[in-house]
Amino acid sequence: MSKKVAVILSGCGVYDGAEIHESVIALLRLSQRGAQVQCFAPDMPHHHVINHLTGAEMTENRNVLVEAARIARGQIRDVAELDPADFDALVIPGGFGAAKNLSDFAFKGASCTVQSDVLRAARGFAAAHKPVGLMCIAPAMATRIFGAGVQCTIGHDPDTAATLGSMGAEHVDCAVDEIVVDAPHKLVTTPAYMLAKTLAEAASGINKLVDRVLELA
C-alpha cells in the first residue's frame, strides 16, 4: 500500500518562501516511490517579499498559501486542516520561508517560535511516532517540535549549528549527499541548499531523505 505524505510549503522562492528546487525534488522522489502526496501551507501573509532578481525587499504583500500553490499546481490546502492521523509521514523543504514564515528563526534565532498551525501539525506527527523529514534550514524547528536532545543537521555551518545547540538540539555535521537520522524520534534531516552548489548535489541528499522517511513510515 502506498504511503500518504503531507508536505508543508512556506511560499514560493528561496529568499522569502519555499526553496523551489528542494520542493520539486522532494515531490518528484515521493512520486517516483509511489507515495500519495498532499501539500499544505499556512494561510497567512509572507513576512516580506524579496525580488529574486535583485535581492531587494519589495513593497507588495503576498500570501504564503497562494504563493505555495504555484509549486503545488493549485493542489494545496491550508495547514490548519492538516490532521496527522490522515498521513503516514511529513516532509518540510527549506528555503528562507521556513525561517521567516513557518517560523521566525531568521529574526529571533534561538528564541524563535513556530507558526501555530505548523507546530500543532508537526507535533502531532511526532506524538504519533510518524516520521518527519526536514531539509536545509527547516531543522531549525526541530527542538520546537521534538524537544531538547533531538539529533539533526543543517550541514556544517558553525554559527547556525551553535544556535541549534543552544536551543537544545544535538547537531551532527553532515555532507550535502548524506542524511542524519534520529531513530528514536523518527526525524530525518539533510543539508540540501545549505551546502549544495548544484541541483544534482541537492538531489543527492533529498532523495536519501525521502527514501528513509518512507522506510520509517
Side-chain angles (χ1 to χ4, degrees):
M1 181 180 296
S2 63
K3 302 299 182 181
K4 297 179 67 177
V5 181
V7 176
I8 298 179
L9 302 175
S10 57
C12 181
V14 57
Y15 299 124
D16 57 12
E19 213 297 321
I20 297 171
H21 291 170
E22 291 179 4
S23 302
V24 173
I25 292 167
L27 292 169
L28 172 60
R29 189 60 172 178
L30 287 164
S31 179
Q32 289 173 334
R33 294 295 307 273
Q36 299 179 51
V37 176
Q38 176 63 57
C39 291
F40 295 87
D43 186 3
M44 59 177 280
H46 270 235
H47 171 79
H48 58 198
V49 177
I50 299 296
N51 181 321
H52 280 58
L53 182 62
T54 66
E57 186 172 344
M58 303 175 70
T59 57
E60 65 184 86
N61 297 313
R62 297 191 184 183
N63 179 280
V64 174
L65 178 59
V66 172
E67 291 301 296
R70 295 174 179 269
I71 297 174
R73 295 173 60 86
Q75 301 302 308
I76 194 165
R77 293 163 54 192
D78 185 347
V79 73
E81 302 172 4
L82 173 51
D83 184 351
D86 295 335
F87 296 90
D88 299 300
L90 171 67
V91 171
I92 306 180
F96 276 105
K100 293 178 177 180
N101 300 326
L102 303 188
S103 75
D104 53 13
F105 179 78
F107 314 108
K108 296 185 177 179
S111 62
C112 72
T113 59
V114 177
Q115 196 270 349
S116 58
D117 292 321
V118 173
L119 184 61
R120 173 200 54 78
R123 282 181 172 173
F125 281 91
H129 302 290
K130 295 181 177 182
V132 176
L134 304 175
M135 58 191 73
C136 192
I137 196 60
M141 299 184 285
T143 59
R144 300 297 185 254
I145 298 168
F146 295 96
V150 65
Q151 281 191 339
C152 60
T153 190
I154 48 79
H156 49 64
D157 177 72
D159 292 337
T160 308
T163 301
L164 267 61
S166 70
M167 295 169 67
E170 180 182 337
H171 183 267
V172 180
D173 284 354
C174 181
V176 67
D177 60 346
E178 290 298 334
I179 57 175
V180 169
V181 181
D182 182 330
H185 292 105
K186 289 192 173 182
L187 173 65
V188 186
T189 54
T190 194
Y193 273 104
M194 290 293 289
L195 294 179
K197 304 299 184 186
T198 66
L199 195 63
E201 283 188 353
S204 62
I206 293 170
N207 288 343
K208 289 181 180 178
L209 178 145
V210 169
D211 289 350
R212 186 60 60 86
V213 164
L214 293 175
E215 289 168 4
L216 292 171

